Amino acid sequence: MERDFMFLEVEEIIRKKLEMNESITPTGNPIPKLTPDTVIRDLNMDSLDLTELIIDIEEKYETEIDEGDIQDVVTISDLLDKAEEHLGQVSASDSVQNLKNKHNNKE
């Protein structure tokens, strides 16, 4: 269940990035359906976009992902794996619970 929640959070970050960057999603083109198996490059995200995405995720989860770790990232699921690995180093369950609380307070 926590993985599903993380996907929803990361999906929201990606959607905001796609909506804000017309070079990724030109005006009028719908944002594709995102799944854990979505290939990040298929979203027309270049290495700078991926780096910005990693920074957004690091801020969201209050963690740091090593630059070397992102070289293996191909899909959104890979990105979740990297975030989970680093969250595990700083008590993943506490961080995810805090995120759930923040998310619930927004509603």
Side-chain angles (χ1 to χ4, degrees):
M1 187 61 155
E2 292 175 356
R3 175 77 173 209
D4 293 338
F5 183 77
M6 284 183 70
F7 171 74
L8 293 175
E9 293 284 331
V10 170
E11 177 187 32
E12 181 180 336
I13 292 169
I14 293 171
R15 285 194 174 284
K16 284 180 183 177
K17 181 163 285 309
L18 293 174
E19 288 169 358
M20 290 183 348
N21 191 341
E22 286 191 16
S23 68
I24 297 174
T25 308
T27 304
N29 290 353
I31 295 173
K33 178 175 173 37
L34 301 177
T35 70
D37 295 326
T38 298
V39 175
I40 293 171
R41 296 252 183 239
D42 289 350
L43 300 173
N44 296 324
M45 296 179 80
D46 61 22
S47 58
L48 178 60
D49 295 318
L50 180 57
T51 300
E52 290 173 351
L53 178 61
I54 296 293
I55 291 168
D56 291 344
I57 290 169
E58 288 175 333
E59 290 174 358
K60 181 82 168 178
Y61 292 103
E62 299 176 357
T63 190
E64 288 187 27
I65 299 172
D66 298 326
E67 284 185 36
D69 287 346
I70 64 170
Q71 294 175 358
D72 301 340
V73 172
V74 175
T75 65
I76 294 174
S77 182
D78 295 336
L79 191 55
L80 294 173
D81 290 343
K82 297 302 178 188
E84 284 181 327
E85 285 174 25
H86 291 276
L87 279 174
Q89 297 169 5
V90 292
S91 182
S93 61
D94 289 346
S95 295
V96 170
Q97 187 59 47
N98 288 340
L99 289 170
K100 285 181 182 177
N101 291 341
K102 286 180 189 177
H103 182 74
N104 291 336
N105 288 338
K106 287 182 184 177
E107 295 177 346

